[in-house]
Amino acid sequence: MRISARLVATLALACCVLPGCRVLKPVAHQPGPYTPVPQGVAREHEKVILPDYVIEPPDVLTIQAVNLMPKQPYRLRPLDTLQIEANGLPDESSLGGAPGILGREYTIGIDGTLVLGLGFDTSKEEYRPLVIAGMTIPEAQQAVRERLAETAREPKVWVTLTSIATRQDVAGEHLVCMDGTVNLGVYGRVRVVGMTIEQAKSAIEASLASQFENPEVAVDVYGYNSKVFYVVTQGAGLGDQLIQFPITGNETALDAISQVQGLSGTSSTRMWIARPGKNDCGGDQLLAIDWPGITQRGDITTNYQLMPGDRVFIAEDKLIAFDTQLAKVISPIERMFGVTLLGTQTAQRIKFFNQNNGNNGFGGGF
């Protein structure tokens, strides 16, 4: 008995003394699977700039038209707007200006005609508005000059195109479709998958060059939807939880776990980052995360910067997982015995009820 007491006391003293200062420096016993960590892995204070963004479905691009001038010669269309100025007209033909001067904006009608007003739409005593749809600007200017010359002597005319009604605006947000193209409406589709922003800008301008003179557009990414990282929480036998987050190039392991509001009641502090591809030794890239070290000591050694496609895996609490598995095995048995017990009790009550009814009957002799 004395030897046993001394042995227990010695073991207890050793358990208190051997850890030493480690009691004040908590660490995870198994922060994650141990694999070699490549040199130069980005961490919280050693972040790297991600390479040029490569466009993929379902990203959303913003396209702004900087310079989209129609290819010359432009043919006028209905609802286009013209600025027409003329002088040398009769004094009674002035419109809101000096006598003998005409200057205002005109819209080509849906039928392609131009109504000048002030009596200029009558030719040879018949109402004949000018039909200018399909003409170029010089041709329309000559047609207006000839009409005014029927009333005025040697009029001078200037025609300017101020707006194009039928031109579709390419500005706005454009979704990169499953086939890797953006739809520019009447100007067709442009393939931008696998391109950087600068390359997509050049491709869109090259596509618009068939209809515009030296087109220039501004392109940027509005929705970064194709580059993401994942947080996988093991569910301790109740099903894993998977959440996807868009990546901005600045997230770390601590940021990822903050996105899911920390650890759940079924999670342990054992976690790691699974990165697609092979490490230097030809194995999987698994970066173990020391959760107590990051949160309790501010140790940034394992607070790795996340890359597109990373999986932050949070392992389950083994005791809770064992309890869940045990409950799955015991629960059907309990349910079966419960049903059996209920049936037995019901049968006994029915038998007891029948016996009481038989004793309280009116049969028997005196």
Side-chain angles (χ1 to χ4, degrees):
M1 293 295 294
R2 292 181 180 179
I3 297 175
S4 301
R6 290 180 180 179
L7 181 60
V8 171
T10 302
L11 291 175
L13 181 61
C15 292
C16 295
V17 174
L18 288 180
C21 61
R22 292 184 182 179
V23 176
L24 302 177
K25 188 178 180 182
V27 295
H29 297 291
Q30 291 182 339
Y34 177 76
T35 57
V37 178
Q39 295 291 332
V41 175
R43 296 174 172 84
E44 181 177 344
H45 289 172
E46 301 173 356
K47 295 180 180 178
V48 297
I49 300 175
L50 298 185
D52 290 342
Y53 191 85
V54 177
I55 300 171
E56 296 180 25
D59 289 334
V60 178
L61 304 181
T62 55
I63 302 176
Q64 299 294 331
V66 179
N67 179 27
L68 291 180
M69 295 300 297
K71 209 170 186 65
Q72 300 302 321
Y74 178 74
R75 299 285 176 178
L76 295 174
R77 300 178 181 180
L79 302 181
D80 286 349
T81 303
L82 302 176
Q83 175 74 28
I84 301 178
E85 298 179 358
N87 59 17
L89 307 180
D91 293 345
E92 62 272 12
S93 301
S94 62
L95 180 63
I101 297 179
L102 178 68
R104 54 172 288 191
E105 286 190 348
Y106 295 87
T107 301
I108 302 175
I110 195 67
D111 57 352
T113 61
L114 177 65
V115 179
L116 295 172
L118 301 174
F120 296 125
D121 301 314
T122 302
S123 178
K124 297 180 181 180
E125 299 181 356
E126 292 184 9
Y127 181 71
R128 296 179 180 176
L130 288 173
V131 180
I132 63 173
M135 294 184 179
T136 62
I137 298 298
E139 291 172 349
Q141 182 172 308
Q142 180 63 25
V144 173
R145 181 184 297 109
E146 292 176 356
R147 177 57 61 86
L148 297 180
E150 296 180 6
T151 305
R153 180 179 296 179
E154 297 182 357
K156 295 182 179 180
V157 180
W158 297 270
V159 177
T160 306
L161 178 65
T162 57
S163 68
I164 301 175
T166 58
R167 185 181 71 182
Q168 181 178 352
D169 192 2
V170 300
E173 288 78 32
H174 298 265
L175 175 69
V176 180
C177 303
M178 292 185 293
D179 58 356
T181 63
V182 290
N183 191 350
L184 301 181
V186 297
Y187 307 120
R189 293 175 174 268
V190 182
R191 190 173 185 84
V192 296
V193 66
M195 297 183 181
T196 63
I197 296 177
E198 291 75 14
Q199 293 171 342
K201 176 179 182 297
S202 301
I204 294 173
E205 290 176 347
S207 178
L208 295 174
S210 60
Q211 303 185 51
F212 296 96
E213 198 75 31
N214 298 323
E216 184 178 359
V217 297
V219 180
D220 200 357
V221 180
Y222 179 79
Y224 295 86
N225 300 328
S226 63
K227 306 298 184 293
V228 297
F229 68 90
Y230 306 90
V231 178
V232 183
T233 303
Q234 201 170 14
L238 299 176
D240 297 346
Q241 182 185 35
L242 173 63
I243 305 178
Q244 171 185 297
F245 296 101
I247 194 164
T248 62
N250 193 48
E251 294 87 358
T252 62
L254 185 62
D255 296 324
I257 299 175
S258 69
Q259 295 282 356
V260 295
Q261 307 301 319
L263 304 181
S264 66
T266 61
S267 300
S268 67
T269 58
R270 188 168 182 262
M271 61 189 70
W272 60 87
I273 297 174
R275 181 162 295 171
K278 300 297 183 180
N279 58 20
D280 296 338
C281 300
D284 296 331
Q285 290 192 69
L286 301 179
L287 307 178
I289 300 173
D290 181 6
W291 177 250
I294 294 175
T295 57
Q296 300 178 31
R297 304 197 317 272
D299 185 5
I300 65 172
T301 304
T302 62
N303 192 21
Y304 301 105
Q305 180 183 0
L306 297 180
M307 299 295 170
D310 280 354
R311 287 85 160 155
V312 180
F313 187 85
I314 305 174
E316 63 192 4
D317 189 312
K318 296 301 181 183
L319 290 178
I320 297 178
F322 175 75
D323 180 71
T324 302
Q325 295 297 331
L326 190 62
K328 288 182 179 180
V329 175
I330 296 177
S331 180
I333 300 175
E334 289 181 342
R335 187 175 293 109
M336 182 178 61
F337 278 108
V339 172
T340 303
L341 180 61
L342 178 62
T344 303
Q345 292 177 349
T346 303
Q348 291 176 352
R349 289 185 180 183
I350 293 174
K351 181 178 180 181
F352 178 76
F353 180 76
N354 291 334
Q355 289 177 353
N356 288 340
N357 286 342
N359 295 332
N360 294 331
F362 295 95
F366 293 94

